[in-house]
Amino acid sequence: QSALSQPPSASGTPGQRVTISCSGSGPNIGTNTVNWYQQLPGTAPKLLMYRNDQRTSGVPDRFSGSKSGTSASLAISGLQSEDEAIYYCAPWDDSLNGLVFGGGTKLTVL
Amino acid sequence: QVQLQEWGPRLVRPSETLSLTCSVSGVAISSGGHHWSWIRQHPGKGPEWLGYIYDNGSAFYRPSLKSRITMSVDTSKNQFSLRLSSVIAADTAVYFCARGRGTVVDSWGQGTLVTVSS
């Protein structure tokens, strides 16, 4: 069982805005910044956002991240079919001295 | 641009040792400033960080695996390695090597499926 809690699924229609939440605790989100990864089927996770709200090079500004207390969220506006993927939040965890991953949220574009 | 590629046996027998190596290209491990990680992912689950190592050989392991895991680095070959001993079926997973800096892991290999079975 992951130390982080994400909804297992989310969905939206093209053009809509979707938000994915990630709930953690003191040693992880409460203390460190949050990274978000996007994973397409059969591929490695790809870094999407880092340090809560910084987009990796090439990621469109439709993607945004935020953090408050021990929770974080990833928002995707202007939803597109290519956004269909599994999204993982992943902050550093001081008790683990390593990266901890959420269980993932599977985003479906209807 | 950094590229990472995992290689090693895809099938390991129970109680034996899983060994994987990650070849790094595009950046020298010896240039410093980064840590080099192993991460695994069981089917249908989120990734699980196993540990990381620096170019000087300092390594940090997931506490629950500490008794079974060893990482090493060979800067002359620009490679780093993972050994996981006494494997069981639950160690069957896709294993990824990755590069990080501070609290951000930014580049991953494509991953390799390792199956533990007799």
Side-chain angles (χ1 to χ4, degrees):
Chain A
Q1 190 165 346
S2 175
L4 304 172
S5 180
Q6 292 183 241
S9 63
S11 63
T13 56
Q16 273 192 329
R17 175 185 168 93
V18 169
T19 300
I20 296 171
S21 62
C22 177
S23 177
S25 60
N28 43 69
I29 298 179
T31 307
N32 297 293
T33 59
V34 179
N35 309 303
W36 288 91
Y37 293 89
Q38 178 193 60
Q39 188 173 32
L40 299 172
T43 68
K46 169 192 161 186
L47 181 65
L48 199 67
M49 309 284 298
Y50 62 99
R51 292 187 195 132
N52 302 328
D53 58 7
Q54 301 298 300
R55 282 183 296 276
T56 302
S57 175
V59 173
D61 59 7
R62 302 186 293 103
F63 291 84
S64 61
S66 64
K67 184 190 108 166
S68 178
T70 58
S71 294
S73 62
L74 175 71
I76 310 170
S77 59
L79 204 58
Q80 299 181 6
S81 57
E82 61 257 36
D83 299 333
E84 235 182 46
I86 300 176
Y87 294 86
Y88 296 98
C89 60
W92 198 261
D93 189 296
D94 286 349
S95 61
L96 191 61
N97 193 18
L99 212 56
V100 62
F101 291 86
T105 298
K106 184 174 183 179
L107 175 63
T108 302
V109 180
L110 302 169
Chain B
Q1 177 152 345
V2 64
Q3 290 190 316
L4 303 100
Q5 177 70 58
E6 309 86 354
W7 51 278
R10 305 287 182 96
L11 179 64
V12 183
R13 298 191 189 284
S15 80
E16 296 190 345
T17 296
L18 178 159
S19 295
L20 292 172
T21 296
C22 181
S23 294
V24 179
S25 59
V27 67
I29 290 177
S30 60
S31 63
H34 291 96
H35 51 76
W36 304 90
S37 290
W38 288 97
I39 298 167
R40 70 182 180 183
Q41 188 171 27
H42 295 100
K45 302 293 185 183
E48 177 183 53
W49 170 81
L50 302 181
Y52 60 92
I53 190 166
Y54 287 98
D55 61 313
N56 64 4
S58 297
F60 299 85
Y61 304 137
R62 188 177 191 87
S64 60
L65 296 174
K66 201 168 185 178
S67 63
R68 298 198 291 134
I69 196 170
T70 305
M71 294 182 186
S72 60
V73 61
D74 186 339
T75 55
S76 67
K77 294 182 178 178
N78 221 34
Q79 295 174 348
F80 62 104
S81 298
L82 167 73
R83 288 173 59 85
L84 183 65
S85 64
S86 306
V87 296
I88 60 176
D91 292 314
T92 294
V94 176
Y95 286 76
F96 298 95
C97 58
R99 181 189 76 167
R101 182 191 287 269
T103 62
V104 182
V105 172
D106 62 356
S107 300
W108 299 54
Q110 65 184 27
T112 186
L113 173 63
V114 178
T115 302
V116 177
S117 174
S118 55

